[in-house]
Amino acid sequence: MSEGLKRRDFLKVLGAGGAGVATAGCSTSEVERLIPYVIGNEEVLPGVPTWYTSTCRECPAGCGIHVETHSGRATKVEGNPEHPINRGNLCARGQSSVQGLYHPDRYRGPVSQEGAQALNPTWGTAERILADRIREEQAAGRGAGVVFLTQSYTGSMESLVNEWVAAVGGRRVVYDTWADQPRALDFSQADVLVSFGADFLETWGSPVEYAWQFAQMHSFREGRRGKFIWVAPHRPLTGLNADQWIAPRPGTEIVLARALAGQVDVATAAQETELPAEIIQHLVEEFRAGNGIAVGPGAAVAGANASELRDVINGLNAGRAGAAPAAPAQPQQITTLIEQMRAGQIGVLMIDAPNPVYTLPGGLGFAEAFQQVPTRVSFSPFPDDTASLATLNLPDHHFLEAWGDYTPRPGVVELIQPVMRPVFNTKQVGDVLLSVGRQLGLTVGGGATTYYDYLQTRWQGISGGGDGWRQALQRGGMFTPAGAETAAAIDALFGITGAAVAHAPAPAATPPATQFNAAAQTPPSSDAANLTPAVTSEPATQTQGGGTGQAITFEGDGDANLHLVVYPSYRFYDGRQANRPWLLELPDPVTKVPWSSWVEIHPATAEEMGIEQGDVLEVSSPFGRLETYAYVYPGVRRDTVAIQTGLGHTTFGRYTEGLGVNPNVLLGPGVDQRTGQLASYGVRVRVSRISGAPDQGGYNPGPGLFEQGVRVQHDREIAQAISVAELMALSTEGHPSIPGSETEMATLRGAGGFMPRSQTTDPAGGYPPPETNYGEYVPGNTRWAMVIDLQRCIGCSACVTACYAENNIPVVGPDEVKRGRELSWLRIERYWGVSQDNEEALGDHGTDDTRFLPMLCQQCGNAPCEPVCPVYAAYHTPDGLNGQVYNRCVGTRYCANNCPYKVRVFNWFTYKFDEPLNWQLNPDVAVREKGVMEKCTFCVQRIREKERGAAGELRAVRDGEVVPACVQTCPTEVFVFGNIADPTSRVAQAATSVRGYRALDIINVQPSIVYLKKVTLHEPARGGHHVEAGAEGAAAAH
Amino acid sequence: MATEIRSVFHPDVASYEQVNRDAMRLLTKPGPGYLALLGLSIALVGMAAVAFFYEVYYGIGYAGITNPSGWGTFITTFVFWVGIGHAGTLISAILFLFRAPWRQSIYRLAEAMTVFAVLTAALFPIIHIGRPWFFYWLLPLPSQRQIWPNFRSPLLWDVFAVTTYLTVSSVFFYIGLIPDIAAARDSTTVPWRKKVYTVLSLGWRGTDREWKNFTRAYLFLAALATPLVLSVHSVVSWDFAVSIVPGWHTTIFAPYFVAGAILSGVAMVVTIAVPIRKIFRLEAYLTDLHFDRMGKLLLLTSCIVGFAYSMEYFMAWYSAELFERDVFWDRVFGQYWWAGWSMIICNAVIPQLLWKRNIRLNLNAFFIISIFVNIGMWYERFVIIVPSLSHSYEPWKFLNYHMSYTEAAILLGSFGWFFMWFLLFLRFLPSLSIAEIKEILPPPFRAHGDHHGVHAGEHASVDEMPAGYRERQIETR
Amino acid sequence: MNNRSSVGVLGVFAHLDTATEAIRRLRHDGYRLTVYSPTPRHELEEALEPPESAVRIFTLMGAFTGSAAGAALAIWASLDWPLIVGGKEIVSLPAFSVIIFEVTILLGALSTVAGLFITSRLPKVGKEEALYHPSFSAGHFGVFAHVGTDRFDAVRTIMTESGSEEVLLDQA
């Protein structure tokens, strides 16, 4: 336990990673050149982390990261604060990259299929196999039959691969899922933001950066708050964060966009989109008033007219501050490639692309065609659907083990450096190409022997000499204001396609408060949902939308009456992260379903078809069928069903195999007429109920859909909201209590830190009595506290994964989760903003006022959990934390029973970390054994570390110096953390907001977390009321 | 012409010697039925032991308890057995202080039941914790770092209350046994029994000095045990009342729990006494009168408990307290309606039948009623613990509790454990209080040469006799 | 005569009134007696007029010691390593009152038992103080007079006259 076990695990890591120590030590060539970010020298002090700068490659966004390594082991990934893209923040996928690094199912080394059995050749042999095959093809004059199917590279890799393919005489085909989405937009200053299905908070473009921009644009600051309108047939996480949901008839999004652009008059648009004219009218007016920006199209609504829609949107943004046109997609020849594969014209197919067997539409039949290719080479480090069909696996490094550079957008050129010795016997693609090239007697890469040399030579140009290179590595790359000449030079050097237009600085337009009154009158609407008939099977009258910006037709059998939306997964992107235990256990931010797939269906439609939550449904299209569970969800049109991609892999390692379904099999071969982009939008499906929900009762839950938590707050005012109008009225009152005055601070300490000044403070006034000292028995001592702004929280759950990574929180698996035994210290609660009534939550307006609330230990000053512990395992630290001493706990669970927030979690078993996932464990945090209660302590290990450092420098800890993991990673900067006893601290200032309240304040546990109410444009739905009102509600409901 | 004078409580007992003979009859060689029961009990204990070690080895997760329902069957059963353990001390101590003579013949059984029930209950705090191998950390001992346990924790109050109660009730039990063990020693012919009884009786011979101090000591022990028995279940109830969980945080809990405890205890006494009376033919000692009075006691406590229930629901409604309301709504109409209703029906409704005297005296009916009350009292504790936890403040963590197989096994095992001890007691220690029954028998007088008979008027010291004893003289005129 | 020896005369009585009569007469003649009975009878006490039992002193002392010990344990242990929990005082007497009460009862009861054992010389080991007969635990009463062999006849006559069914002599 705590000390003992921690030390032991720490040594185990050291022992297991002899190589790791050598790495850090260190003799091997590549590692000598690693440049630690913080500590100058190469020496590694046990227990003292070394930080490396690199770039996250979990998705095309290319966020800058710092990697914490202990004794040569990467333990945690955090955002690089100086990075222009993500400002030190990171999403859940980025946080989980260490689990990709240490994934137990990675290839241990190259694998070659000789007939039936698989051999494990050395790298030399494996490369020779490939070289020989290529030579054969060349000899046979089928050089063109050597095809390299790659993701869309940039920078060094782009040029190397092109050079190599040319030298071989082969062909390169680029296939990437959503790499072509614009990553250079800036809508942080927009007043009205309209998204045409672009889930920019989850996967679209550059999610972490866009999330921050969205928070800036959407949060309430000095009387200003933007409005966000979501246009799509279905509401994913991004849509749930919208103030208004407009769901036109599927396929007619483009008509609405053109109405905005004035190309179509409102009446026609209304008739086409089946939306009420006034909605469109109001939208057009709103968009033109102030600074309106449109984004899109998202992958979910990218149909045959996707490129046209994108052009219309770019037209809308033209001249608008902060908007940049998207890069036109390079037409994909994947479809033609597949035909050639079928025709047997392809001899060698090398794949370094996102798992095409899984991600490509079932209608294309890639898998079957793939079998026709005699030599199938996969560079994937994981045995995914594609790699398991390959005849030769040359596993790539994980990006934390590899060298490289990447250019997510103009003006940003990033460096990727290895932070540790490779975990397994893998080799990065660049090196493989170079050595295969040598074996073929070609001179590629200017005679560079390793990819690292190739990279560094190229970089001499920009970084300019050894020290520049070193600085670039420390910084994480070269960041220049886009538009500058250097940027242009760099872009040229790296052959960046679609150079961006200059970003003009956004004018800080501050519209008058009246704008809100106007906004407040808009009906909160999911209008389409309640206006459209449940069945619209008649095909659209337009011709297949070609060039005329017409709506798209949905193909499907006659009686297939429901439009299908296949939307990207926030947790698994296109499925590439679906093997990460953390992400599998993390409930989906919208449906709160972990470890499973589902099909979202509107309550009315479900009722019509006699479907209930959790029923097993069959969804079939002309191209494929699947069976999964029903999720009854008012955030989808009545004539539409939505399925999330990501799960349903045939092979992808022990954690995800046989989990969920792959909706891509339902999609057809439809493509964008103009660009040849694959169109995922435009299929109608037949949905039929197969059986009821599997029995979830009893101790053994068995299979089935499990939705965590509840949809309504049951009149508990956990997540509160306040309308803009009311807020304006309040803020004109001025600030009755500014912390700082002595009397005020006395009360503050008396209250275990502070009294939030808001409507929820106790009527009794200065409770508790000043002479009592709840939680603070060293007067004037530090009191750690947190402020959480619900208006900024988008529910993305990056903080949850960061907490898992920092605090060695084990994953318990689906069955245990169904018993409510997940161990997450921090959870995001998702409430439809309604009080008691599930019917209301399932109504058409159920999703209009959704509240996301991060719930973690409130570190109560008057903590109910502490006095009930018989062995002092739970006690109060002098700086106001609810300490939890693991090795003193005997596991009576009384503290958890008495915790009103239910944030204490119990180790029901001794959970195991599959080797080598245990290499990720943070040596600063104890690994808990069975029978022990655990909980959030504001990352006390980080607090103590900073305190030690400050003590060493004979100074006090600075405000903002201590950063818990959740605070560190939050993309929208929801959290403010610090010492509330210091009136000048940011947290003390933030706590005095008029929006401030404390959850369940009525039971007087004096929590040290202040929530700031969500700000709604309309009157908030019930649930934001006071308890008295709620009680009446309860009485009525009873 | 002298009339036979018999005790109004035990008219069929003719002489002191008969008491000894009848009491010793139970200490003879057991029959097959007895052995079968004993074997069954031991088998249940074995099953529970297996389940327990399974949980220790793999983790407490094999119990159905979850987050938020951190307590379930184990604590329910703990409270249940502690409650059972109340009737014994009530009958032996409180009724002793009240000089209620009908206690004499029943109290030994009740007291044995108490000791074994508390012995059973004491296991559950150890079984239910996450790391049972560290249970001794709950004892008032300092850790290596000189940290003592937290005396502000209700669980530590439990430790003190339960251990004190176990000690005192066992001592009380043993002290009362000494003269009877001596009697067994004097009458038994089995050598090993004689040895054992000689040691256990501490050489008791019933001299005037011994009796003098014995009666005083017994009186003081009773005086100490009386507040203790009332305190124990109050302390147990504070486990809940001191917390802030809606449905637990109630001032009514202490009296409510004590009344419930007596109800369940008396019911268990009846459950045990009826078959024993039949099997061992003790009709002379466990007479209708005893069951009549226990029936009244049961009825009284049942009414108190019923009142407590109604008060709980009334306060939940009247306080307009949201969280409280939801919990109690759940108990009646929510997902725990079945538990809530079986509690109310078994404890507050069915016992009302005992208003009718002929039901009180119909042992079969009474036996069945007592079984219902036992079930109902287990459900009462379940209803208090589980719905409150699974539906407390935080809506996000509403989750129902399901009992697991290991929990069921350990629950059954607890009954096996209890009956194992009780059956052994029946065969090895006098289960009738020989000496005290004699207190309410007419002593042998030689007057008028007639053994066992005397004219009441001639009896010297009628007037000094306490009420309960004089009663028989008067009634038997 | 030697009090510690068990020399004397034992009268076995089948009836309570005969036993009491023997007791009265023997006490009148100043003999020191040990009386056996199967159950405590007030008639015997009246005849013997014994002094008040000393057990109550033990009970009182034990209870007081218990209160003090309980309070001392709870308070000192809390102060020995002061940890604040739930904002409660280090010395929270309302909480400690439970501890104090329980320890009071515990020590009170245990010292009562100790008092019983001490005052009535239990457990009995070694030489018996007076002659005993198994029927005393069943239905008979016994009166043992501690007298020297010289007075045996006198005592025996009193016993038989009072109605003793059997008179045993112990020459020791």
Side-chain angles (χ1 to χ4, degrees), chain A residues 398-439:
Chain A
H398 188 273
F399 70 84
L400 290 176
E401 306 161 324
W403 283 104
D405 55 8
Y406 179 65
T407 307
R409 72 165 191 224
V412 178
V413 188
E414 301 163 324
L415 273 170
I416 302 160
Q417 66 170 324
V419 303
M420 64 181 284
R421 194 91 179 277
V423 181
F424 300 117
N425 178 20
T426 55
K427 192 168 180 179
Q428 77 182 98
V429 179
D431 285 320
V432 175
L433 293 183
L434 286 171
S435 52
V436 169
R438 271 198 304 283
Q439 297 203 20

Side-chain angles (χ1 to χ4, degrees), chain A residues 716 821 829 872 889 894, chain B residues 63 65 131 152 239 326 394:
Chain A
R716 275 72 162 160
R821 291 174 176 178
E829 302 183 350
Y872 280 122
C889 177
Y894 198 169
Chain B
I65 38 181
R131 300 202 287 172
R152 279 156 286 188
D239 281 354
D326 284 2
E394 165 63 292

Side-chain angles (χ1 to χ4, degrees), chain A residues 1 592 698-699 708-710 712-716 718 818-822 827-831 836 855 864 866-872 886-894 897-898 900-902 904-906 908-909 929-932 1000 1002-1003 1031 1034-1035 1038, chain B residues 56-71 128-131 133-134 137-138 145 147-156 238-240 242-245 248 320 322-323 325-326 329 389 391-399 402-405:
Chain A
M1 293 308 309
K592 289 299 167 186
Y699 169 74
Q708 277 182 20
V710 294
V712 296
Q713 298 196 45
H714 291 262
D715 294 318
R716 275 72 162 160
I718 305 276
K818 285 172 182 174
R819 297 186 189 118
R821 291 174 176 178
E822 71 276 3
R827 59 175 184 262
I828 303 292
E829 302 183 350
R830 182 264 298 119
Y831 294 115
Q836 179 77 278
M855 177 56 76
E866 292 166 357
V868 299
C869 176
V871 292
Y872 280 122
Y886 302 130
N887 60 354
R888 217 188 284 158
C889 177
V890 294
T892 67
R893 300 182 298 282
Y894 198 169
N897 291 350
N898 215 25
Y901 305 96
K902 293 283 173 266
R904 290 177 154 264
V905 293
F906 189 69
W908 301 96
F909 301 100
E929 78 162 350
K930 64 170 181 274
V932 173
L1000 297 173
I1002 186 170
I1003 53 178
H1038 294 178
Chain B
V56 170
Y57 187 81
Y58 292 104
I60 194 74
Y62 280 107
I65 38 181
T66 69
N67 186 16
S69 300
W71 289 352
H128 104 283
I129 63 176
R131 300 202 287 172
W133 51 95
F134 288 141
W137 289 1
L138 294 170
R145 305 181 61 195
I147 301 180
W148 292 72
N150 174 9
F151 289 93
R152 279 156 286 188
S153 165
L155 292 183
L156 209 67
W238 292 335
D239 281 354
F240 307 103
V242 166
S243 83
I244 65 171
V245 178
W248 287 10
L322 168 68
F323 312 107
R325 269 188 184 174
D326 284 2
W329 184 262
L389 286 176
H391 198 146
S392 72
Y393 293 100
E394 165 63 292
W396 194 257
K397 274 293 183 182
F398 288 174
L399 201 69
H402 302 285
M403 188 192 290
S404 78
Y405 295 121

